[in-house]
Amino acid sequence: NHSAFLLGERAHILENITAPFIVPHVAVQAKQKFPLEVIIRSVIHLLMDTTASEYRFLVEFFGDRDIYSAVFYRTISHFVESMSACISTSFDCIGMMLIAEVTRRQQVIMSERRISCLDPFFDKLSASVWNRFRKVLDLNLNSVRSFAEGSSIPKLRDSNPHYITRRFADFSSSLLLLCQGETRSQNGESSLEADSVATAMVALRSEVENLLGQLSHRTWPSDKRMVTIFMINNIDLVQSVYAEQGVKNDEFTAPLDSAKTSHVAAFVEDQLHSGFAALISFVKNIEPLVTGSTYEENRQNVKEDKLATLVKDFERTWASGIDQINTNVMKYFPNFKNGVDILRQVLAQLVLYYTRFLEIIKRCYKTPPFAKHMVEVDTIMAEIKKYSRSF
């Protein structure tokens, strides 16, 4: 994947920090091109090998460990200036995090060789990388914020995930991946300023959520259902990318899970109210009133004709209502797996409401006068299983 927002195969550089350095004339002849982190790794690798041999010679010949700095001062200064100049014009946050991790690991290698003369070089380069990283990350934040605050926010064409959501999912998953697992030091502490990066991602997530809210409310100012569907689809996309990329950061993903759960719950209620509003309203209003110990006592709070009407209406419409719910869910949610999960939640909630409705009847009548019109729960479950087999 060549997306500028996705880590992808670029992470392979971390698997072999000591790979042979690039030979310029060979790369030119082969018309090879490399991202900045690969070039910097190669140059520093060559510097490390040169330093290792020259440092030992200088120490053995002159007997002075400080003489290396005097001999290589101009060379090291040139490296720092050249690399800092390249980094200062980069807008690639992923590349800069890779550079930071590569140079950290290279510094560890030099430490294992017991050669510390390059530590000032690594420290300066690391500071330069992280300073630029923060500036570019701020630019991303401000870009999303400015778009959301603009007066010319375009209307959405449909409720499918927005392209900005895809970019955010790719970008945030890449940075979060670089802050977990292999990028942690042996003592368990983050080696990539993971806390500050995660904090920045939280801020970016907040700005993206705000933007999506602005877009959806501008497109559907009086249609809460479409706003809810749009938000579910966008959150689902982010979750799908995180699952695909292997992001494991519960602290960061928990708010997304919570938000999706809330939106799905609202959608479930909306769908059920579209076809079964009278029954649901009756259950919510009457259920607390039928707590008596006798049928007669409970029937005082229930109008028999109203109850009979609800039973007959449900008998007539429940099957077509379930079919309409299935049609709506499959239409609204492009991710089939997500749609199936939501459909199951809608149908499960319908069964729950109907079970509560039957319980009200049971508390009021030993043998209801309209019993022949009452649909058995097993009949509804059998119909639901037909949809389950088609998943």
Side-chain angles (χ1 to χ4, degrees), residues 46 112 161 211 214-215 229-230 240 263 274 334 367:
L46 180 60
E112 291 172 348
L211 172 60
Q214 296 276 6
L215 289 168
I229 293 168
F230 177 70
S240 298
H263 287 304
S274 295
T367 304

Side-chain angles (χ1 to χ4, degrees), residues 112-259:
E112 291 172 348
R113 294 177 181 177
R114 297 185 179 181
I115 300 175
S116 60
C117 56
L118 284 182
D119 283 352
F121 162 75
F122 284 120
D123 293 341
K124 290 179 181 178
L125 182 59
S126 178
S128 177
V129 169
W130 282 114
N131 286 337
R132 182 60 183 173
F133 173 85
R134 294 186 187 95
K135 289 181 181 179
V136 175
L137 204 53
D138 285 341
L139 290 175
N140 279 279
L141 280 167
N142 292 332
S143 175
V144 176
R145 184 181 298 121
S146 297
F147 185 33
E149 294 174 352
S151 58
S152 57
I153 297 180
K155 290 186 177 181
L156 300 166
R157 291 180 295 179
D158 51 45
S159 60
N160 291 334
H162 198 272
Y163 72 90
I164 288 179
T165 302
R166 180 72 204 202
R167 292 180 179 180
F168 166 74
D170 288 345
F171 183 64
S172 59
S173 66
S174 297
L175 299 192
L176 291 171
L177 279 172
L178 288 171
C179 290
Q180 74 183 36
E182 293 182 350
T183 62
R184 291 185 178 275
S185 57
Q186 293 181 352
N187 61 8
E189 296 179 358
S190 173
S191 60
L192 283 174
E193 298 189 354
D195 290 341
S196 62
V197 173
T199 299
M201 288 300 96
V202 169
L204 182 59
R205 183 190 66 206
S206 177
E207 294 297 340
V208 171
E209 288 175 347
N210 178 59
L211 172 60
L212 295 176
Q214 296 276 6
L215 289 168
S216 60
H217 285 94
R218 176 176 172 78
T219 305
W220 304 289
S222 58
D223 192 341
K224 292 183 178 180
R225 173 189 295 180
M226 292 307 300
V227 171
T228 299
I229 293 168
F230 177 70
M231 295 304 293
I232 292 174
N233 283 331
N234 280 272
I235 295 173
D236 176 67
L237 173 61
V238 176
Q239 291 177 319
S240 298
V241 171
Y242 285 178
E244 179 183 346
Q245 297 300 319
V247 173
K248 299 175 182 178
N249 188 320
D250 293 340
E251 185 177 350
F252 184 81
T253 58
L256 290 172
D257 299 338
S258 178

Side-chain angles (χ1 to χ4, degrees), residues 45-61:
H45 180 55
L46 180 60
L47 175 63
M48 289 165 59
D49 285 353
T50 303
T51 295
S53 60
E54 294 300 324
Y55 179 77
R56 290 191 179 94
F57 168 76
L58 290 171
V59 171
E60 291 175 4
F61 188 83

